Amino acid sequence: MNEQSFTFPLLHNAIGIMTPFLLAATGGLFTELAGMLNIALEGLMLIGAFFSVVFAGLTGSLVLGILLGVASAVLAAALFAGVSLNLKANVFVAGLATNLLASGLTVVLAFQLFGNKGVVRFDIPKLPSLTIPALARIPILGDLLIGHNILVYFSWLIVVLAALAIYRTPFGLRIRGTGLGARTVNSLGLRPRRYQLAGILISGFTCGLAGAMLTLKLSAFVPNITSGRGWIALVAIYLGNKTPWGIVIASFIFGFAESLSNFAQGAINIPADFILAFPYLITVLAMIVYSIWRHYRTRL
Amino acid sequence: MKRQRQIGELFAGGVGLAITLGISFIIAVILIILLSKQPLTTIYYFFFGPFTNKYYFGNMLNTAIPLVFTGLGIAVAFKSSMFNLGGEGQVYSGALMATVILLALPEISGYLGGPIALAAALTTGAVLAGVSGFFKMKWGTDELISSFLISAAVIFIVNYFITGPLDDPGNSMLATYPIGGQYHLLGIFPPSKLDISAVFAIIVAALVFFLMYYTHWGYEMRMCGLNREFSRYGGINVSAYVILPMIISGALHGLAGGVAIMGTYHMAVKEFSYGMGWNGIAVALIAKNNPLGVLPAAVFFAYLDAGATAAMLHSDVTFEIAAIVQSVIFYLITAQAIYSLLRRRKRTRP
């Protein structure tokens, strides 16, 4: 196997694999900026994954599947928001509850509907792949950027929209303000809770899409298919220093690590588990280095 | 006056807890009516199944044991305003370390291996959590995120050892070689799996209670938990109480893993401890971080699992309904709105 033929699919796959991280992290960025630790990303993603493939299977339409799957994730996010904002439950614990609910509910429903707690396959069309001629013409990167499925391109659009919303609109300013000081926002006559609600619903939307991508790519539901991706997305927000572009880079690193572990089996002699542990170790190191840097900077 | 307010608080807390549990039970009944073709049988087994025979009852108590340890671990950390989110990894790595020690020791060491293995499990958990406390003390690294990340990484590394170098090809599971029979903890309630570690769990809960409420360290930990700045002003060495609660918390988590191996599993099975860390958080919250309250809270959490298991075996629902009911409790247990509503009502009457 020569160098070229190995590197290209590695990078090309990484771009596909990074998409669920990227989507979930971009949505999670809104809650993070609004000052809430959103650990429900994992559960919201799982809800989106389950309902999108089930609805796609029932209706025979990918579009309806994605729409209803995303709607389910937004609904679950609304429940999370209602409990944490209106009933004033601890956000962290409500997030745990959402994850637990998602893992229980999806298995219970799969068992009820299909009599099966394992892998459920659906007879649905594949996600269409796109080749955008304008991207193909970009030198060097061109070939890497084409031939992905439609949700990958949609995720890029979402990142751009998110960056615009966060930095160029009053809404984004207020969301960031809520995170910095809810009372200040309140004193300006605004309701910080509304912006927190908006943040949670946005994270429900993007996590729903992230989940849909996981199951629709396989045309099947696998119990606990998200397997920690929501957590990695949360980590990507931190590693990306809470900016959309940082999140793109962090998600790519995680996508690349997973792509590498897929290829490495047999090719390189590193156990897959070590490669899976790698993103977490990198992030914790980055966090420590960052806090050391901050520590000594404030001292001087 | 103060006493009256305390009783009022206790009343609001108790009624709030009752409301939370009541709602979760109602949701359990609704779920069963929706999902089951024979709802009455299912409801009977879900609520009363764990009490129908010694086997179910003993196993329920046995499920509660690791939750007592993890619940205590979380309670100590929360009381000191520290967040240990690495419970999952600390339990799992503690279990692996105990297994490794017991597999490595020569047979001649006899019963002595047990305490050594538990000490190793305890140390492993303490180090993993202590590291997060250390970073927090030294450079202010957020211990909530760092403990979670370290634990998440450790879980994969433990998986590697269980399915790789330590995997026993003789069994069909992804599990290590079994530990020697002399290390199995004594069963105390046959035919169930309940073993002597239940007594150990109660003793540890009492010790943690004593530590937190009747010792100098416990007092200072709680003071730091209430207000770190004020404690610093009062002359408490607050930076020590960033590390100590994490070490104790991690040690208790590691112990949970070691005890689970020696008492119940007798080998490290891949992902066997999944949920023990997370559920410990729920247990501590139900107990309002009171070490003695952790005991009934852990039994209650185990009861939901046992009920769902009985309902699955005797009727037509799947075990995971327990997760849904537990999630309802999780949702409501910290809901301040419920408690403040009760408190306000109490206050309007002079």
Side-chain angles (χ1 to χ4, degrees):
Chain A
M1 193 186 281
N2 69 44
E3 196 71 14
Q4 188 60 38
S5 69
F6 182 71
T7 316
F8 179 75
L10 189 69
L11 289 172
H12 195 265
N13 279 10
I15 291 175
I17 293 170
M18 77 182 264
T19 303
F21 300 135
L22 181 62
L23 280 167
T26 305
L29 179 61
F30 283 88
T31 42
E32 186 62 42
L33 290 176
M36 298 195 301
L37 178 68
N38 187 352
I39 64 156
L41 299 178
E42 173 83 10
L44 296 175
M45 213 183 205
L46 187 56
I47 296 264
F50 178 77
F51 285 100
S52 59
V53 76
V54 167
F55 280 122
L58 289 178
T59 61
S61 151
L62 278 180
V63 176
L64 274 178
I66 293 174
L67 282 179
L68 291 170
V70 169
S72 313
V74 172
L75 208 64
L79 174 69
F80 171 52
V83 172
S84 52
L85 299 177
N86 294 13
L87 292 181
K88 298 200 175 62
N90 180 310
V91 178
F92 174 77
V93 179
L96 272 185
T98 306
N99 295 341
L100 191 62
L101 176 69
S103 67
L105 187 69
T106 50
V107 174
V108 167
L109 284 179
F111 179 72
Q112 202 71 18
L113 294 172
F114 312 107
N116 178 358
K117 286 209 278 185
V119 178
V120 188
R121 294 189 182 287
F122 294 88
D123 189 22
I124 48 173
K126 278 220 161 319
L127 279 173
S129 293
L130 290 187
T131 299
I132 301 173
L135 289 177
R137 261 184 261 123
I138 299 173
I140 307 170
L141 287 177
D143 286 345
L144 285 175
L145 299 178
I146 59 170
H148 294 290
N149 73 54
I150 193 158
L151 286 177
V152 173
Y153 298 107
F154 198 54
S155 75
W156 298 352
L157 184 66
I158 284 180
V159 173
V160 174
L161 288 177
L164 287 175
I166 290 169
Y167 297 114
R168 296 289 156 91
T169 65
F171 170 76
L173 183 68
R174 288 166 190 172
I175 276 224
R176 285 182 288 146
T178 305
L180 289 172
R183 279 194 183 165
T184 320
V185 173
N186 206 352
S187 72
L188 293 172
L190 300 164
R191 295 187 189 168
R193 226 200 265 174
R194 281 196 184 167
Y195 294 95
Q196 292 177 326
L197 172 66
I200 293 179
L201 294 182
I202 291 170
S203 72
F205 173 79
T206 62
C207 287
L209 274 178
M213 168 139 180
L214 290 175
T215 46
L216 294 180
K217 219 163 77 175
L218 289 178
S219 302
F221 178 74
V222 183
N224 199 19
I225 187 170
T226 47
S227 59
R229 284 190 174 80
W231 289 101
I232 295 192
L234 187 65
V235 169
I237 297 173
Y238 281 86
L239 194 61
N241 207 12
K242 302 185 187 175
T243 63
W245 311 122
I247 285 174
V248 172
I249 295 167
S251 303
F252 180 76
I253 293 172
F254 292 143
F256 183 76
E258 198 177 319
S259 176
L260 191 67
S261 78
N262 293 342
F263 278 89
Q265 281 155 12
I268 311 172
N269 208 5
I270 305 173
D273 285 315
F274 285 2
I275 298 174
L276 289 170
F278 193 64
Y280 295 100
L281 291 175
I282 283 288
T283 312
V284 81
L285 278 179
M287 268 188 70
I288 292 163
V289 169
Y290 178 68
S291 54
I292 293 174
W293 175 74
R294 205 183 42 192
H295 181 79
Y296 287 106
R297 201 190 54 166
T298 48
R299 267 232 177 133
L300 289 173
Chain B
M1 190 57 200
K2 189 184 167 224
R3 189 161 184 83
Q4 223 168 21
R5 202 185 311 143
Q6 269 178 347
I7 291 171
E9 282 289 306
L10 214 62
F11 173 80
V15 175
L17 187 62
I19 291 176
T20 300
L21 300 185
I23 293 174
S24 68
F25 278 157
I26 291 169
I27 289 190
V29 171
I30 294 173
L31 266 178
I32 289 170
I33 291 172
L34 286 176
L35 296 174
S36 176
K37 289 190 187 68
Q38 32 179 347
L40 286 180
T41 320
T42 313
I43 287 173
Y44 171 76
Y45 280 105
F46 186 84
F47 288 106
F48 303 108
F51 307 107
T52 50
N53 61 49
K54 281 178 81 176
Y55 181 71
Y56 287 168
F57 186 70
N59 282 353
M60 173 181 85
L61 294 180
N62 193 51
T63 312
I65 294 170
L67 296 180
V68 170
F69 289 108
T70 57
L72 286 171
I74 296 295
V76 169
F78 278 4
K79 265 275 175 213
S80 323
S81 273
M82 294 295 292
F83 292 89
N84 177 9
L85 286 201
E88 288 286 326
Q90 290 151 20
V91 175
Y92 200 27
S93 55
L96 177 76
M97 200 54 82
T99 313
V100 168
I101 297 274
L102 293 178
L103 290 177
L105 283 176
E107 205 161 326
I108 200 154
S109 61
Y111 293 110
L112 192 66
I116 296 176
L118 287 182
L122 183 147
T123 313
T124 309
V127 168
L128 280 181
V131 161
S132 292
F134 175 77
F135 293 144
K136 167 86 171 187
M137 183 199 80
K138 203 93 175 122
W139 302 300
T141 316
D142 187 2
E143 84 281 7
L144 190 139
I145 308 281
S146 76
S147 61
F148 169 73
L149 291 172
I150 292 171
S151 149
V154 160
I155 287 171
F156 288 112
I157 292 165
V158 174
N159 275 344
Y160 164 75
F161 282 105
I162 289 178
T163 58
L166 295 171
D167 183 40
D168 179 5
N171 65 38
S172 56
M173 291 180 294
L174 288 169
T176 61
Y177 292 91
I179 60 172
Q182 75 270 31
Y183 301 128
H184 294 191
L185 294 175
L186 182 68
I188 54 170
F189 201 69
S192 79
K193 293 177 196 150
L194 185 66
D195 58 77
I196 196 81
S197 63
V199 180
F200 185 47
I202 294 170
I203 294 172
V204 171
L207 284 177
V208 172
F209 181 77
F210 182 77
L211 170 78
M212 293 305 284
Y213 290 95
Y214 290 95
T215 65
H216 179 77
W217 282 5
Y219 172 77
E220 296 197 338
M221 260 195 276
R222 284 186 294 123
M223 285 307 116
C224 288
L226 287 172
N227 190 331
R228 213 164 276 277
E229 280 311 304
F230 182 76
S231 304
R232 191 199 307 277
Y233 184 71
I236 295 177
N237 178 7
V238 288
S239 57
Y241 293 103
V242 171
I243 296 192
L244 186 67
M246 290 300 276
I247 288 179
I248 297 175
S249 178
L252 287 163
H253 279 92
L255 209 51
V259 165
I261 290 294
M262 292 178 63
T264 308
Y265 295 90
H266 304 147
M267 60 178 95
V269 184
K270 190 185 177 195
E271 275 159 11
F272 83 95
S273 64
Y274 181 78
M276 285 179 190
W278 294 129
N279 292 341
I281 297 177
V283 165
L285 289 169
I286 294 175
K288 297 241 173 294
N289 299 329
N290 182 318
L292 293 182
V294 162
L295 291 169
V299 171
F300 174 74
F301 228 71
Y303 161 69
L304 291 176
D305 268 358
T309 310
M312 177 174 75
L313 291 175
H314 293 277
S315 189
D316 59 352
V317 291
T318 168
F319 171 73
E320 282 76 8
I321 55 169
I324 299 181
V325 177
Q326 285 164 347
S327 76
V328 175
I329 297 176
F330 253 133
Y331 269 127
L332 298 177
I333 195 71
T334 62
Q336 288 304 318
I338 296 176
Y339 299 95
S340 55
L341 197 71
L342 290 165
R343 251 180 246 131
R344 210 173 303 150
R345 198 166 289 166
K346 194 92 177 108
R347 211 169 290 155
T348 49
R349 271 178 281 154

